Amino acid sequence: MPMFVQAGLWGLLAASGLLIGAAIAVAAHPKLSHRVIAAVMGFGGGVLLAVLSVDLMEKAFADGGPTAAIAGFLLGATVFSTANWLLAQHGAKHRNRCGGCVRQPSEAQHAGSGMAIAVGALLDGIPESLVIGLSLVGGEKIGWGLIAGFFLANIPQGLSSAAGMKQAERSSVYVFAVWTGIPLLSGLAAAIGYLALGSAAPAVGGAILAFAAGGVLAMLAETMIPEAFEDAQPFIGVITVVGFLVAFLLIKTQV
């Protein structure tokens, strides 16, 4: 099987956690409590922190050196935050929110917010797709700990965002269209990332890994952490630490 196809399939698998989370949200609506969702988001945040610090940035420093890694990391965060700010002007600011004082706007409250939220959901997944595509460059075998980490972190994102969509009175057709389309596009992005970056020099690859890591961390800070810690249940910090530990062990024990 061609490597770019493998990259696409791995990207699809990792992003399929979004669809699973969305399906749970739709099935449980409106009985799913915000505190449960916040706990799951905290767990997912801990998973992403481990993937970033233990896997991505370590590889970025090893492949590209400190200068490329630092520059790529800061640039990735800046690009994501800028794109996220632009989308926020069109109603996507709270796309991963579903409770507390802040919720997603309905289409009646903010015309065009539905499309902006869908684009924002895709934006959240692009850095992960880049990482997956790069991980297969040079015929390398992808670490299942990385895929498992992204998959686990995507479940709470799909769960919280889909729950917010239902609270904003968006139809189940819209919800499933978004969360079916995003994994498919994420898989495509991973395949394109492999094809576009497969011949890049190691230093360039390291910088791009760091770029993706910066984007993921900015996404975590701007869209996941606020939902996890607003009106959170007791010991949300411990739940986040458990998420970190699970991903840490998955990455460190992978063969």
Side-chain angles (χ1 to χ4, degrees):
M1 183 184 297
M3 293 299 290
F4 77 92
V5 176
Q6 293 185 41
L9 292 176
W10 282 119
L12 176 62
L13 176 61
S16 65
L18 294 166
L19 181 57
I20 292 173
I24 294 171
V26 172
H29 180 77
K31 297 180 180 179
L32 193 62
S33 75
H34 176 254
R35 284 199 165 191
V36 170
I37 295 173
V40 178
M41 288 290 274
F43 179 89
V47 168
L48 277 183
L49 285 172
V51 171
L52 290 169
S53 57
V54 179
D55 196 320
L56 301 188
M57 285 304 291
E58 187 174 302
K59 289 180 180 176
F61 263 76
D63 293 346
T67 300
I70 292 170
F73 192 64
L74 292 174
L75 181 61
T78 301
V79 169
F80 177 90
S81 292
T82 300
N84 195 43
W85 176 79
L86 290 172
L87 284 168
Q89 311 309 304
H90 295 86
K93 181 177 181 180
H94 303 301
R95 60 184 176 275
N96 280 340
R97 306 298 298 272
C98 65
C101 300
V102 181
R103 298 189 180 190
Q104 292 181 26
S106 66
E107 196 67 23
Q109 293 170 324
H110 198 305
S113 60
M115 179 57 69
I117 288 169
V119 173
L122 177 61
L123 173 68
D124 294 343
I126 286 176
E128 296 176 8
S129 300
L130 283 176
V131 169
I132 292 170
L134 275 174
S135 297
L136 290 170
V137 169
E140 296 288 333
K141 289 185 177 180
I142 197 163
W144 59 264
L146 176 69
I147 298 297
F150 281 149
F151 176 84
L152 289 174
N154 278 329
I155 292 175
Q157 291 185 65
L159 175 67
S160 180
S161 187
M165 290 173 181
K166 293 302 293 180
Q167 289 178 355
E169 300 180 348
R170 302 189 189 279
S171 69
S172 296
V173 172
Y174 168 87
V175 172
F176 280 110
V178 169
W179 298 115
T180 301
I182 299 304
L184 292 173
L185 291 173
S186 295
L188 180 61
I192 292 173
Y194 174 84
L195 290 172
L197 306 171
S199 59
V204 175
I208 295 172
L209 265 182
F211 177 91
V216 171
L217 184 55
M219 181 275 292
L220 175 64
E222 294 185 9
T223 69
M224 289 185 70
I225 289 177
E227 180 66 9
F229 286 88
E230 183 181 352
D231 192 30
Q233 59 181 305
F235 302 104
I236 186 63
V238 175
I239 294 170
T240 304
V241 168
V242 170
F244 182 98
L245 182 60
V246 168
F248 177 85
L249 293 174
L250 284 172
I251 293 168
K252 287 299 185 180
T253 60
Q254 64 188 1
V255 180

